[in-house]
Amino acid sequence: MNERPVPAQEPLSSLDGLTRALRCLPGVGPKAAQRMALHLMQHDRDGARALGRALSRAAEVIRHCARCNTFTEDTICAMCRSPRRDPSLLCVVETPADLLMVEHAQAYQGLYFVLMGRLSPLDGIGPKEIRLDRLLKRATDGVVREVILATNFTNEGEATAHYIGELMAARGLTVTRLARGVPVGGELEYVDPGTLAQALRERRPI
Amino acid sequence: MNERPVPAQEPLSSLDGLTRALRCLPGVGPKAAQRMALHLMQHDRDGARALGRALSRAAEVIRHCARCNTFTEDTICAMCRSPRRDPSLLCVVETPADLLMVEHAQAYQGLYFVLMGRLSPLDGIGPKEIRLDRLLKRATDGVVREVILATNFTNEGEATAHYIGELMAARGLTVTRLARGVPVGGELEYVDPGTLAQALRERRPI
């Protein structure tokens, strides 16, 4: 729709500008952007104003925690500062979204390190790009005892976990990886063969 | 995800605020909002700032054209002011998005009236709510000769077209409705029976 011929005599309007700006959102194409812009103007101007303020504010104040690299407004994030977390455990995740998912599971009380990416040689993302030197420094602070690799179980996530695991093991740290297997509530009939094979290989005594 | 327990000692952060604010967008749930917020902070802060400005600006300056009721920044929109449009034709559409679609078809040179809604008695939306008095005044300016009803071919759009048609016909105006039929490029095998029945009833000599 953005490619339609602009009507004569009409400069780029605020509405067109808004539609175009909405395209910066992931997964939002021209049609969705137009629908969003019209919806906001027609039904939710207060929401539009609030979102405008939230965007400007977040873009200014959000930075990376100096210890765990996740998003925060402080030098050190609240979780890294918390006395209630176990500083001997360090869970390595790819993104802040992954961190939130692990927190959501409510089964972990240690600290995190957020890579903000993963190793991906084909895309030119090597150890330097995801700044593994910072992770190394963080993990060898003398307090961390176990490094839990919670990168994704994709090819890139696995390669990242393997690479970090070697680094950490060389420093004498205990390195663990999230367990793979049948999902909770999962039915064998619907589990993919790779997961089932893994669950068999990693079967546990009960 | 918004419902997860907020970590101890952590007030609502700018990131949470942004995630929550993004929910005002149509079709954006908690997961998508979080993904958008993290994406913007990680990969596109300039986009976030630009979108923030566009939202604030649009919310302030966009209003309704006094003649056609569409969104504009002026009292009368550029299209209503244009000497290149035929003022004897008035096309009635439900929303600004519909207006853009008709323009996109590049087959119409008249003017528009945007209802910003449709009759929907079950939702309490009657002639007053979509301000048909304004349309009536607009259509009876002495210049408009033909009113083209381009509301949707849904039950509500059809009812709206019928209601407006009666109003306009009573004032001696020519009233037409968009043609229904098989879509351009359409194959009979895949056209729904209702559309095919309509195309048969409204068949034309060639």
Side-chain angles (χ1 to χ4, degrees), chain A residues 147-165:
Chain A
V147 174
I148 301 162
L149 301 172
T151 55
N152 289 318
F153 286 89
T154 56
N155 285 342
E156 295 173 348
E158 291 278 32
T160 308
H162 181 76
Y163 189 95
I164 296 174

Side-chain angles (χ1 to χ4, degrees), chain A residues 1 3-5 7-10 12-18 21-22 24-28 31-32 34-45 47-64 71 73 77-79 81-85 94-98 100-101 103-104 106 116-117, chain B residues 1 3-5 7-10 12-15 17-18 21-22 24-28 31-32 34-45 47-64 71-73 77-79 81-85 94-98 100-101 103-104 106 116-117:
Chain A
M1 289 295 302
E3 290 72 27
R4 82 193 157 83
Q9 302 168 312
E10 201 171 9
L12 185 69
S13 69
S14 301
L15 195 63
D16 290 338
L18 174 56
L22 282 162
C24 75
L25 297 172
V28 173
K31 269 280 188 189
Q34 183 188 290
R35 194 166 56 92
M36 287 174 168
L38 293 172
H39 169 86
L40 290 176
M41 290 308 105
Q42 197 167 351
H43 299 297
D44 196 4
R45 296 216 181 193
R49 284 190 197 94
L51 177 55
R53 284 193 302 270
L55 283 162
S56 306
R57 182 168 163 71
E60 294 316 315
V61 304
I62 291 177
R63 45 183 170 159
H64 294 278
F71 289 129
E73 290 161 47
C77 75
M79 202 182 292
R81 291 198 315 265
S82 170
R84 295 211 254 164
R85 313 288 305 205
E94 294 182 18
T95 66
D98 295 339
L100 292 175
M101 286 311 292
E103 279 299 285
H104 196 47
Q106 298 189 307
M116 292 285 174
Chain B
M1 289 299 301
E3 290 73 25
R4 84 194 156 84
Q9 303 167 308
E10 201 170 11
L12 185 68
S13 69
S14 299
L15 195 63
L18 174 57
L22 283 162
C24 75
L25 298 172
V28 174
K31 270 279 189 191
Q34 183 189 290
R35 192 165 56 91
M36 287 173 168
L38 292 173
H39 169 86
L40 289 176
M41 290 307 106
Q42 196 168 351
H43 300 296
D44 196 3
R45 296 217 180 192
R49 285 189 196 93
L51 177 55
R53 284 192 302 270
L55 282 162
S56 305
R57 180 167 164 74
E60 294 318 314
V61 305
I62 291 177
R63 45 183 172 161
H64 294 278
F71 290 128
T72 179
E73 289 161 46
C77 75
M79 202 183 291
R81 291 198 312 265
S82 170
R84 296 210 254 166
R85 312 288 305 203
E94 295 182 18
T95 66
D98 295 339
L100 292 176
M101 285 311 291
E103 279 298 286
H104 196 48
Q106 299 187 308
M116 292 284 174

Side-chain angles (χ1 to χ4, degrees), chain A residues 81-135:
Chain A
R81 291 198 315 265
S82 170
R84 295 211 254 164
R85 313 288 305 205
D86 179 352
S88 70
L89 297 175
L90 190 69
C91 179
V92 178
V93 293
E94 294 182 18
T95 66
D98 295 339
L99 184 158
L100 292 175
M101 286 311 292
V102 177
E103 279 299 285
H104 196 47
Q106 298 189 307
Y108 180 67
Q109 280 297 318
L111 296 173
Y112 292 91
F113 189 88
V114 182
L115 296 171
M116 292 285 174
R118 65 203 67 82
L119 290 179
S120 180
L122 291 180
D123 301 319
I125 301 174
K128 248 184 211 167
E129 280 68 31
I130 57 173
R131 303 185 59 191
L132 288 188
D133 54 320
R134 281 191 54 188
L135 167 59

Side-chain angles (χ1 to χ4, degrees), chain B residues 156-170:
Chain B
E156 295 173 347
E158 291 278 33
T160 307
H162 181 78
Y163 189 95
I164 296 175
E166 299 276 299
L167 273 185
M168 297 299 159

